[in-house]
PDB file of all heavy atoms in Angstrom:
ATOM      1  N   PRO A 213     -58.251 -51.679  15.968  1.00 66.00           N
ATOM      2  CA  PRO A 213     -57.759 -50.773  17.012  1.00 66.00           C
ATOM      3  C   PRO A 213     -58.890 -49.973  17.646  1.00 66.00           C
ATOM      4  O   PRO A 213     -59.854 -49.609  16.962  1.00 66.00           O
ATOM      5  CB  PRO A 213     -56.787 -49.861  16.260  1.00 66.00           C
ATOM      6  CG  PRO A 213     -56.366 -50.658  15.069  1.00 66.00           C
ATOM      7  CD  PRO A 213     -57.554 -51.478  14.692  1.00 66.00           C
ATOM      8  N   THR A 214     -58.760 -49.673  18.942  1.00 67.00           N
ATOM      9  CA  THR A 214     -59.817 -48.983  19.687  1.00 67.00           C
ATOM     10  C   THR A 214     -60.165 -47.640  19.070  1.00 67.00           C
ATOM     11  O   THR A 214     -61.327 -47.272  18.940  1.00 67.00           O
ATOM     12  CB  THR A 214     -59.387 -48.776  21.148  1.00 67.00           C
ATOM     13  OG1 THR A 214     -59.052 -50.046  21.711  1.00 67.00           O
ATOM     14  CG2 THR A 214     -60.500 -48.138  21.946  1.00 67.00           C
ATOM     15  N   SER A 215     -59.148 -46.884  18.652  1.00 56.00           N
ATOM     16  CA  SER A 215     -59.401 -45.558  18.091  1.00 56.00           C
ATOM     17  C   SER A 215     -60.232 -45.658  16.819  1.00 56.00           C
ATOM     18  O   SER A 215     -61.113 -44.844  16.562  1.00 56.00           O
ATOM     19  CB  SER A 215     -58.081 -44.851  17.799  1.00 56.00           C
ATOM     20  OG  SER A 215     -57.291 -45.608  16.893  1.00 56.00           O
ATOM     21  N   VAL A 216     -59.953 -46.700  16.018  1.00 49.00           N
ATOM     22  CA  VAL A 216     -60.714 -46.869  14.782  1.00 49.00           C
ATOM     23  C   VAL A 216     -62.137 -47.305  15.093  1.00 49.00           C
ATOM     24  O   VAL A 216     -63.090 -46.863  14.473  1.00 49.00           O
ATOM     25  CB  VAL A 216     -60.013 -47.911  13.870  1.00 49.00           C
ATOM     26  CG1 VAL A 216     -60.842 -48.146  12.610  1.00 49.00           C
ATOM     27  CG2 VAL A 216     -58.619 -47.430  13.505  1.00 49.00           C
ATOM     28  N   GLN A 217     -62.287 -48.161  16.105  1.00 49.00           N
ATOM     29  CA  GLN A 217     -63.614 -48.603  16.509  1.00 49.00           C
ATOM     30  C   GLN A 217     -64.459 -47.410  16.949  1.00 49.00           C
ATOM     31  O   GLN A 217     -65.629 -47.283  16.600  1.00 49.00           O
ATOM     32  CB  GLN A 217     -63.508 -49.618  17.643  1.00 49.00           C
ATOM     33  CG  GLN A 217     -62.961 -50.970  17.212  1.00 49.00           C
ATOM     34  CD  GLN A 217     -62.805 -51.910  18.387  1.00 49.00           C
ATOM     35  OE1 GLN A 217     -62.732 -51.471  19.541  1.00 49.00           O
ATOM     36  NE2 GLN A 217     -62.755 -53.192  18.111  1.00 49.00           N
ATOM     37  N   THR A 218     -63.823 -46.523  17.726  1.00 48.00           N
ATOM     38  CA  THR A 218     -64.540 -45.354  18.229  1.00 48.00           C
ATOM     39  C   THR A 218     -64.988 -44.459  17.089  1.00 48.00           C
ATOM     40  O   THR A 218     -66.126 -43.994  17.035  1.00 48.00           O
ATOM     41  CB  THR A 218     -63.635 -44.553  19.194  1.00 48.00           C
ATOM     42  OG1 THR A 218     -63.230 -45.408  20.255  1.00 48.00           O
ATOM     43  CG2 THR A 218     -64.367 -43.356  19.745  1.00 48.00           C
ATOM     44  N   MET A 219     -64.080 -44.238  16.119  1.00 43.00           N
ATOM     45  CA  MET A 219     -64.412 -43.405  14.971  1.00 43.00           C
ATOM     46  C   MET A 219     -65.526 -44.035  14.149  1.00 43.00           C
ATOM     47  O   MET A 219     -66.432 -43.364  13.682  1.00 43.00           O
ATOM     48  CB  MET A 219     -63.170 -43.213  14.101  1.00 43.00           C
ATOM     49  CG  MET A 219     -62.099 -42.339  14.726  1.00 43.00           C
ATOM     50  SD  MET A 219     -60.591 -42.336  13.734  1.00 43.00           S
ATOM     51  CE  MET A 219     -61.229 -41.659  12.196  1.00 43.00           C
ATOM     52  N   SER A 220     -65.456 -45.368  14.015  1.00 43.00           N
ATOM     53  CA  SER A 220     -66.459 -46.068  13.215  1.00 43.00           C
ATOM     54  C   SER A 220     -67.835 -45.973  13.848  1.00 43.00           C
ATOM     55  O   SER A 220     -68.842 -45.734  13.176  1.00 43.00           O
ATOM     56  CB  SER A 220     -66.052 -47.539  13.051  1.00 43.00           C
ATOM     57  OG  SER A 220     -67.038 -48.236  12.323  1.00 43.00           O
ATOM     58  N   SER A 221     -67.876 -46.122  15.172  1.00 47.00           N
ATOM     59  CA  SER A 221     -69.176 -46.086  15.863  1.00 47.00           C
ATOM     60  C   SER A 221     -69.754 -44.682  15.899  1.00 47.00           C
ATOM     61  O   SER A 221     -70.977 -44.500  15.929  1.00 47.00           O
ATOM     62  CB  SER A 221     -69.021 -46.620  17.277  1.00 47.00           C
ATOM     63  OG  SER A 221     -68.120 -45.808  18.027  1.00 47.00           O
ATOM     64  N   ALA A 222     -68.863 -43.677  15.837  1.00 48.00           N
ATOM     65  CA  ALA A 222     -69.347 -42.287  15.900  1.00 48.00           C
ATOM     66  C   ALA A 222     -69.800 -41.790  14.532  1.00 48.00           C
ATOM     67  O   ALA A 222     -70.515 -40.801  14.439  1.00 48.00           O
ATOM     68  CB  ALA A 222     -68.219 -41.386  16.409  1.00 48.00           C
ATOM     69  N   ARG A 223     -69.383 -42.498  13.447  1.00 50.00           N
ATOM     70  CA  ARG A 223     -69.739 -42.037  12.128  1.00 50.00           C
ATOM     71  C   ARG A 223     -71.229 -42.299  11.854  1.00 50.00           C
ATOM     72  O   ARG A 223     -71.710 -43.400  12.054  1.00 50.00           O
ATOM     73  CB  ARG A 223     -68.868 -42.802  11.095  1.00 50.00           C
ATOM     74  CG  ARG A 223     -68.996 -42.240   9.695  1.00 50.00           C
ATOM     75  CD  ARG A 223     -68.136 -43.051   8.719  1.00 50.00           C
ATOM     76  NE  ARG A 223     -66.734 -42.976   9.130  1.00 50.00           N
ATOM     77  CZ  ARG A 223     -65.994 -44.047   9.354  1.00 50.00           C
ATOM     78  NH1 ARG A 223     -66.503 -45.255   9.233  1.00 50.00           N
ATOM     79  NH2 ARG A 223     -64.736 -43.903   9.693  1.00 50.00           N
ATOM     80  N   PRO A 224     -71.962 -41.314  11.404  1.00 53.00           N
ATOM     81  CA  PRO A 224     -73.421 -41.520  11.155  1.00 53.00           C
ATOM     82  C   PRO A 224     -73.631 -42.489   9.986  1.00 53.00           C
ATOM     83  O   PRO A 224     -72.878 -42.497   9.037  1.00 53.00           O
ATOM     84  CB  PRO A 224     -73.914 -40.115  10.808  1.00 53.00           C
ATOM     85  CG  PRO A 224     -72.703 -39.378  10.331  1.00 53.00           C
ATOM     86  CD  PRO A 224     -71.554 -39.944  11.122  1.00 53.00           C
TER      87      PRO A 224
END
Side-chain angles (χ1 to χ4, degrees):
T214 304
S215 59
V216 177
Q217 289 177 339
T218 302
M219 290 173 61
S220 178
S221 62
R223 189 181 299 125

